[in-house]
Amino acid sequence: MKRAILIFFLAIYAATHAQITYHYETNLKDLSQDKLAVHLKISGFSEDTLTFCFPKIIPGIYGAMNFGQYISTLEVFDKKGKKLKTAQTDMNSWMIYDAKNIARVSYLADDAWETFDTILKEGFFRSAASSFSDSAFVITPNSLFGYFRGHLHHPIEISIRKGMELYPATSLKKTLKLNQDVFFAKDYHQLVDNPILYALPDTTMIKLPGISVEVACYSTSGKSISKDIAEYIRPLLINQSKYLNDKLPVDHYTFLIYHSLAPNRHHLIGDGLEHSNSTLILLYMPLDIETIRQNIYGIASHEFFHTLMPLGLHSQEIENYDYNEPKFSKHLWLYEGMTEYFTMHMPVKTGLQTEKEFFKMVEEKIAFMNQFDPNLALTDLSLHPMEMQDQYYNVYLKGALVNLCLDIRLRELSGGEYGTKDLVLDLMAHYRGKPFEDGKFFSDLVIVSGYPELEAFIRDYIQGTETLPLKELLLKAGVKLDKGKISEVENPTAEQQKLRAVWLH
């Protein structure tokens, strides 16, 4: 009898929770003053009060964007059309009373930027925000669709009406019709992880063993550019696969590229934000395919490597991301630093680049790093990125260089057999897709690597502020660093030659 009662109550609980689904609707044809009307149909809540939120911040950026600032005239109704009482509690949150009777939420969503150009603002990342125009819609779901606090894990369905000439590029599961598209996400995390680019069709598919890649582009010039860009991205993906031992971490991927026409080559800007199965890239430059391809290469490479970390290898703080009260991981040195190092290292390792070209990049990063605070540990910067925006870019400089040092150190310890790439792949295998505990990661790293000597390296150069041992470690690889310049050692030893060969070739 008790078992029957338990099954009954479990069935009631499952039925109550299963019925909660977010059903969003908007119409791109009704764009007015850069605003879209958004309607959410949802019911089945048991709480008396609920908070409807837009993110303050999202994964991959480290400045408070406050996406609620683009929302206006938010109203909530019951199933009879009666307006429910609401109160805005902060820039991103609305308290809703009598929440058990919620049936519909309606509001206007403004875009965050009009054109992608040289006007930059600290802490504002346009690749995380939306832009609407009659010819193209860059939709970052976090700036258009909200969520109820405590209800992030319900399925989401989005219906978008549009002109039949517009095509939606995204990695979301979708059903396409002439005038209406429907998108599906298993929860809010997956939705935020998948931007959408609506524009006239300009797409090229890349088919490689184990992966299908869509390159979708929009250029304010009105010209088609996806085919030329895809021809440049294709060898990049082939070499990244080679670099990762022919084990790409995803089987489908979408590059969403928005190109804003610049009048000349004096100001070239690129911005990208990584997602699990896509990257949104914004470009401001002339319609010169070679210039576009050269700039896309570095951005696309860096963002695609993010499929390893933090998208594949990350802490619980990222797995259980809090969009409005985020807790940061101390491992930006890994998420951004290692990713940037792989972006630098892959071309020379796979023969796309010469040693001279590689060392030129190293010199540039050393010079740039020296403009930042040397007494700020990478772990401290990682834990407080929003308060240290003026220091944040150093994760791409010192973060990359500390991993260069780690790579050489591992090669030295292993007789050339083991490096940072092997370490990352081993860590991913160790955690098997599960998030790690932030405070235990360093000890796990040492154990997985098999080299207890790394404890001192981590203590001094990642957790600490000791000067990076670039000079000493580069010398072990047969090159010398003097006054910021790198050159070959005359008459290198066989040991130096061997270490350099396994590191760079």
Side-chain angles (χ1 to χ4, degrees):
M1 184 65 179
K2 289 182 179 179
R3 184 172 180 272
I5 293 173
L6 176 61
I7 291 173
F8 173 77
F9 279 109
L10 286 174
I12 294 293
Y13 178 86
T16 301
H17 284 73
Q19 66 185 348
I20 297 179
T21 300
Y22 291 80
H23 295 276
Y24 272 107
E25 297 177 356
T26 191
N27 191 335
L28 304 187
K29 294 187 291 183
D30 291 341
L31 179 68
S32 177
Q33 297 181 326
D34 292 328
K35 295 180 180 180
L36 290 172
V38 181
H39 305 285
L40 166 63
K41 294 179 180 179
I42 192 168
S43 61
F45 295 115
S46 59
E47 296 92 334
D48 293 322
T49 60
L50 279 173
T51 302
F52 188 69
C53 303
F54 287 84
K56 176 181 181 179
I57 189 172
I58 62 170
I61 65 171
Y62 298 92
M65 293 280 287
N66 294 310
F67 295 101
Q69 67 180 296
Y70 307 109
I71 304 304
S72 60
T73 64
L74 187 142
E75 296 177 322
V76 185
F77 304 89
D78 66 14
K79 63 181 179 181
K80 295 182 179 180
K82 179 184 176 182
K83 190 183 296 186
L84 300 181
K85 181 182 176 181
T86 63
Q88 188 168 1
T89 55
D90 61 37
M91 189 179 294
N92 304 299
S93 306
W94 286 258
M95 179 73 75
I96 301 173
Y97 300 89
D98 196 17
K100 293 178 182 178
N101 291 316
I102 292 173
R104 177 167 60 89
V105 182
S106 296
Y107 53 87
L108 294 177
D110 200 348
D111 61 1
W113 53 275
E114 305 300 325
T115 57
F116 187 70
D117 51 26
T118 58
I119 300 174
L120 303 176
K121 180 182 177 183
E122 187 177 275
F124 179 74
F125 303 87
R126 281 175 283 191
S127 56
S130 293
S131 178
F132 311 143
S133 69
D134 291 332
S135 55
F137 292 80
V138 177
I139 297 176
T140 56
N142 45 275
S143 60
L144 197 58
F145 307 112
Y147 68 95
F148 286 95
R149 186 168 293 161
H151 292 274
L152 284 166
H153 299 288
H154 300 301
I156 300 173
E157 179 180 305
I158 299 172
S159 175
I160 299 182
R161 293 187 177 275
K162 45 87 178 194
M164 61 185 298
E165 73 279 2
L166 296 181
Y167 168 77
T170 181
S171 285
L172 275 175
K173 181 182 177 183
K174 58 186 182 286
T175 299
L176 305 184
K177 299 179 182 179
L178 284 179
N179 297 305
Q180 181 177 355
D181 305 318
V182 182
F183 304 90
F184 307 92
K186 66 179 182 179
D187 56 24
Y188 193 74
H189 295 303
Q190 187 182 56
L191 178 64
V192 170
D193 199 30
N194 283 278
I196 306 169
L197 173 62
Y198 266 101
L200 291 174
D202 180 17
T203 63
T204 300
M205 296 300 299
I206 302 172
K207 296 283 189 179
L208 295 173
I211 188 170
S212 176
V213 178
E214 180 180 12
V215 179
C217 300
Y218 169 76
S219 173
T220 59
S221 70
K223 304 294 185 181
S224 296
I225 58 176
S226 69
K227 183 178 179 181
D228 289 316
I229 291 175
E231 288 178 356
Y232 208 58
I233 288 179
R234 182 183 178 87
L236 164 66
L237 296 174
I238 291 172
N239 280 281
Q240 283 192 322
S241 177
K242 179 181 177 182
Y243 185 75
L244 297 173
N245 303 334
D246 298 320
K247 296 178 181 178
L248 290 176
V250 295
D251 59 10
H252 69 282
Y253 202 83
T254 307
F255 286 101
L256 310 173
I257 300 169
Y258 180 100
H259 167 242
S260 183
L261 187 62
N264 54 58
R265 299 183 183 182
H266 297 308
H267 296 93
L268 306 178
I269 296 179
D271 182 18
L273 183 60
E274 77 278 1
H275 300 275
S276 295
N277 290 89
S278 63
T279 286
L280 174 60
I281 298 175
L282 309 178
L283 301 172
Y284 179 71
M285 53 195 60
L287 187 63
D288 177 83
I289 291 299
E290 188 58 33
T291 301
I292 292 173
R293 292 195 304 186
Q294 288 175 1
N295 282 271
I296 275 185
Y297 191 91
I299 299 173
S301 180
H302 178 97
E303 304 304 343
F304 191 80
F305 270 129
H306 271 308
T307 56
L308 295 176
M309 58 231 154
L311 301 173
L313 180 63
H314 57 255
S315 69
Q316 293 172 344
E317 285 77 6
I318 293 177
E319 177 79 8
N320 304 306
Y321 197 83
D322 189 324
Y323 297 97
N324 291 81
E325 295 179 7
K327 294 180 180 179
F328 294 105
S329 166
K330 67 174 67 172
H331 299 295
L332 269 178
W333 71 273
L334 173 75
Y335 307 144
E336 295 295 348
M338 186 75 80
T339 298
E340 182 65 9
Y341 175 63
F342 282 3
T343 304
M344 296 168 56
H345 187 240
M346 182 272 291
V348 68
K349 186 71 173 176
T350 57
L352 289 175
Q353 195 178 65
T354 65
E355 287 188 9
K356 185 177 180 180
E357 290 171 321
F358 172 73
F359 288 133
K360 180 67 175 176
M361 284 195 296
V362 175
E363 290 174 352
E364 291 171 352
K365 286 198 179 291
I366 292 171
F368 204 176
M369 175 186 68
N370 291 333
Q371 299 178 27
F372 291 85
D373 184 359
N375 298 312
L376 177 61
L378 285 168
T379 48
D380 290 337
L381 173 58
S382 185
L383 288 170
H384 307 284
M386 290 199 295
E387 298 88 348
M388 300 179 179
Q389 285 291 303
D390 62 330
Q391 297 295 317
Y392 174 72
Y393 193 73
N394 206 19
V395 298
Y396 300 99
L397 306 169
K398 186 177 181 180
L401 294 171
V402 78
N403 282 293
L404 181 152
C405 293
L406 179 59
D407 199 10
I408 298 176
R409 180 66 173 132
L410 282 169
R411 295 289 181 184
E412 178 189 23
L413 291 169
S414 65
E417 297 298 320
Y418 196 83
T420 50
K421 178 192 69 175
D422 308 289
L423 175 61
V424 166
L425 294 176
D426 284 351
L427 284 166
M428 292 179 70
H430 174 76
Y431 292 114
R432 298 179 181 179
K434 296 180 180 179
F436 57 76
E437 291 185 37
D438 213 58
K440 289 182 59 180
F441 180 70
F442 283 133
S443 59
D444 287 350
L445 183 154
V446 171
I447 292 170
V448 169
S449 73
Y451 296 104
E453 295 90 341
L454 294 188
E455 289 183 1
F457 183 95
I458 292 167
R459 181 192 64 233
D460 293 343
Y461 308 117
I462 301 176
Q463 294 177 302
T465 58
E466 295 291 324
T467 301
L468 296 185
L470 286 160
K471 191 171 185 177
E472 299 88 337
L473 288 171
L474 286 171
L475 188 60
K476 292 177 183 293
V479 290
K480 58 183 179 180
L481 174 63
D482 183 35
K483 298 179 180 179
K485 298 297 180 182
I486 296 174
S487 59
E488 295 187 34
V489 171
E490 293 184 12
N491 302 316
T493 66
E495 188 176 357
Q496 287 174 317
Q497 290 176 324
K498 178 185 176 182
L499 182 56
R500 183 167 160 187
V502 294
W503 172 39
L504 297 180
H505 300 289

